[in-house]
Amino acid sequence: GIYCFNWKVLRQALIEDEEDPTDKTRIYISHNTFPHKERYKNSALSLVCEALADSNNAPLTKKILDTGLCESFSFFPTRSYSLNALNAVFIGVKDSKEAELMSVYENALSEVLLSGIPTDNLSSALGRREFHVREADFGTYPAGMVYMSSCLESAFLGEDPTEPLKYEHLLVFMREKLNTGYYEELLKSVLDTPSAKLILHPDNGFSKRKEAELEAELDASLERMSKEEKTALEKQAELFEIWQQ
């Protein structure tokens, strides 16, 4: 494939002790994206994600879920003060099928870049975006809180605090870029950036082992303490209990 996932971290996923760990693996992939101030690119990338993966019938999501290799798939951008990212999340991955699923994912992305993102999907996503911003439709979040948070974020980053309130130029820009190959090139530029892959393998004995390790560590610490230290610790515990009441 043309995508290189630069490093991988293996960790154990914490699940309930009685839960069946079969086919519970999760995979998270993140690519670096654009600085916060590049609103045109960030807005366009968000539109790409919506066009490709906003439902189970969206092009990228359907190709992945139709294989039956995982239960759900998400493809979305995230923002933070320090770094923005493009994320792919696979939930309920079949055991021993991680490599096969990654191959399907990479091939699906390659096909998207070669054949193009369906214009109908981009247009529909853009129409929904325009409705939301014009009607201030932020779901259960109060519009005022959303505006305030966005403006404070821009101010914190040293940018114009009122910039998040302006959207007309973004809508015009994204509409003008339809059928130009811009969105495909944008996605490719992100997929070529450094990335991280995190694989979580379920382990339903994890919590019990951690509790046993902690208990053994505390017992060992107690054994090393002098009688005076134990008395002082007991006194601190009594004072803490009084403070909590």
Side-chain angles (χ1 to χ4, degrees), residues 30-143:
S30 291
H31 289 265
N32 293 339
T33 57
F34 312 106
H36 185 271
K37 63 182 179 181
E38 296 195 39
R39 294 192 68 206
Y40 288 102
K41 289 183 177 180
N42 285 316
S43 296
L45 182 61
S46 177
L47 195 71
V48 167
C49 292
E50 189 172 344
L52 291 177
D54 72 327
S55 71
N56 288 349
N57 289 320
L60 184 58
T61 302
K62 182 173 175 55
K63 287 182 181 296
I64 292 171
L65 295 185
D66 282 354
T67 65
L69 296 176
C70 65
E71 291 181 1
S72 67
F73 169 74
S74 302
F75 193 64
F76 57 93
T78 52
R79 296 168 49 187
S80 70
Y81 293 126
S82 58
L83 183 67
N84 294 336
L86 172 64
N87 310 281
V89 179
F90 307 80
I91 304 296
V93 179
K94 299 296 183 183
D95 291 342
S96 303
K97 296 294 184 179
E98 294 98 329
E100 184 178 348
L101 179 58
M102 290 300 94
S103 178
V104 169
Y105 172 64
E106 293 174 20
N107 290 337
L109 287 174
S110 296
E111 185 176 331
V112 165
L113 295 180
L114 289 173
S115 61
I117 303 170
T119 302
D120 288 346
N121 292 65
L122 285 170
S123 296
S124 297
L126 183 54
R128 290 192 295 271
R129 178 74 55 81
E130 183 170 5
F131 173 81
H132 289 316
V133 295
R134 292 193 186 282
E135 299 298 323
D137 181 4
F138 303 112
T140 58
Y141 296 98

Side-chain angles (χ1 to χ4, degrees), residues 11-15 24-26 199-204 206:
R11 293 183 60 189
Q12 294 168 311
L14 179 62
I15 61 175
K24 294 291 196 311
T25 294
R26 297 187 175 195
I199 301 179
L200 299 182
H201 293 295
D203 182 353
N204 56 0
F206 183 79

